Amino acid sequence: GQQLNQSPQSMFIQEGEDVSMNCTSSSIFNTWLWYKQDPGEGPVLLIALYKAGELTSNGRLTAQFGITRKDSFLNISASIPSDVGIYFCAGQLRAGSYQLTFGKGTKLSVIP
Amino acid sequence: GAGVSQSPSNKVTEKGKDVELRCDPISGHTALYWYRQSLGQGLEFLIYFQGNSAPDKSGLPSDRFSAERTGGSVSTLTIQRTQQEDSAVYLCASSLGYRGNLFFGEGSRLTVL
């Protein structure tokens, strides 16, 4: 199936630092989404992007849908301990398609 | 209920036994998905159901895996003759439309000894 390459695989940062992670693919995606998974829980949607070039913020989180439609990034500003978790990018290949392809995740650890 | 409910939360079984995992989606959500998450891996798509349409089974890894959704609501994922490589967390999600906003359950952790 289609693959999303997510990087970095893991990050250790100091509380208060900014974080950046990204996702790339060789295929064009119609929709890009970012989810966060806390331990023992299912992933929760953070940000959804539906147009190439779109830049969307949700509190301290900002995500962009790349112009080429083959990539997306997620930034977290002024990290706090509760930002710890695994962040997944996900994409929909076709408009109206219900199937989501997920990246392998970025595990974020925040050092107080 | 308020969210997606999955049961059992944990299942330990012996190799070769069959298992059934249940998912109760959010009321009114037309789409239901099953994903598998192995240790340190991303979410692997298994199958989704959308309304009365034929399910998309393209992600099922072998014919030992099957799923059904009764009455457009509850779904059961069945794994026959379980193997050790089937050990993973099986996540169910539901959504109202196709915009990608999936609501996930907490998952069923399957361990095959």
Side-chain angles (χ1 to χ4, degrees):
Chain A
Q2 302 299 328
Q3 285 199 331
L4 294 182
N5 302 306
Q6 191 170 349
S7 65
Q9 286 187 332
S10 63
M11 304 180 74
F12 288 83
I13 61 168
Q14 291 286 142
E15 183 176 355
E17 287 185 348
D18 297 344
V19 173
S20 185
M21 58 192 78
N22 68 76
C23 214
T24 62
S25 175
S26 57
S27 300
I28 291 175
F29 279 81
N30 186 68
T31 303
W32 284 94
L33 308 112
W34 287 90
Y35 283 79
K36 182 193 177 194
Q37 185 177 31
D38 291 328
E41 305 284 330
V44 174
L45 181 67
L46 298 174
I47 292 180
L49 303 157
Y50 300 110
K51 292 182 184 177
E54 181 179 356
L55 183 71
T56 297
S57 293
N58 179 7
R60 294 178 296 106
L61 278 58
T62 301
Q64 184 157 33
F65 190 147
I67 288 289
T68 65
R69 298 171 65 189
K70 293 183 179 182
D71 63 331
S72 176
F73 72 75
L74 174 71
N75 288 343
I76 306 172
S77 63
S79 58
I80 59 178
S82 61
D83 290 335
V84 165
I86 303 177
Y87 292 79
F88 292 100
C89 62
Q92 284 179 317
L93 275 172
R94 299 181 306 278
S97 167
Y98 282 80
Q99 186 177 139
L100 278 188
T101 301
F102 281 80
K104 291 192 175 183
T106 295
K107 186 174 181 180
L108 179 64
S109 300
V110 178
I111 304 167
Chain B
V4 176
S5 178
Q6 291 189 245
S7 61
S9 54
N10 277 287
K11 176 72 176 179
V12 180
T13 190
E14 293 180 347
K15 178 181 172 182
K17 295 284 178 70
D18 298 351
V19 297
E20 285 189 350
L21 307 176
R22 175 189 167 104
C23 174
D24 203 339
I26 293 173
S27 178
H29 279 193
T30 56
L32 185 147
Y33 311 72
W34 284 98
Y35 282 85
R36 177 168 71 175
Q37 185 174 26
S38 302
L39 189 63
Q41 298 296 311
L43 279 68
E44 176 190 5
F45 169 76
L46 297 178
I47 186 171
Y48 81 75
F49 300 85
Q50 164 51 26
N52 296 320
S53 303
D56 180 343
K57 305 179 181 181
S58 60
L60 294 178
S62 77
D63 58 9
R64 295 186 296 105
F65 288 72
S66 63
E68 63 177 23
R69 187 179 186 190
T70 53
S73 182
V74 172
S75 176
T76 301
L77 177 68
T78 301
I79 309 173
Q80 295 179 310
R81 306 181 301 282
T82 51
Q83 303 294 314
Q84 287 184 331
E85 60 263 27
D86 299 335
S87 296
V89 175
Y90 289 82
L91 289 161
C92 176
S94 68
S95 72
L96 190 55
Y98 57 86
R99 300 280 277 178
N101 190 1
L102 273 59
F103 292 81
F104 283 86
E106 294 186 347
S108 291
R109 179 177 296 278
L110 174 66
T111 303
V112 182
L113 301 177

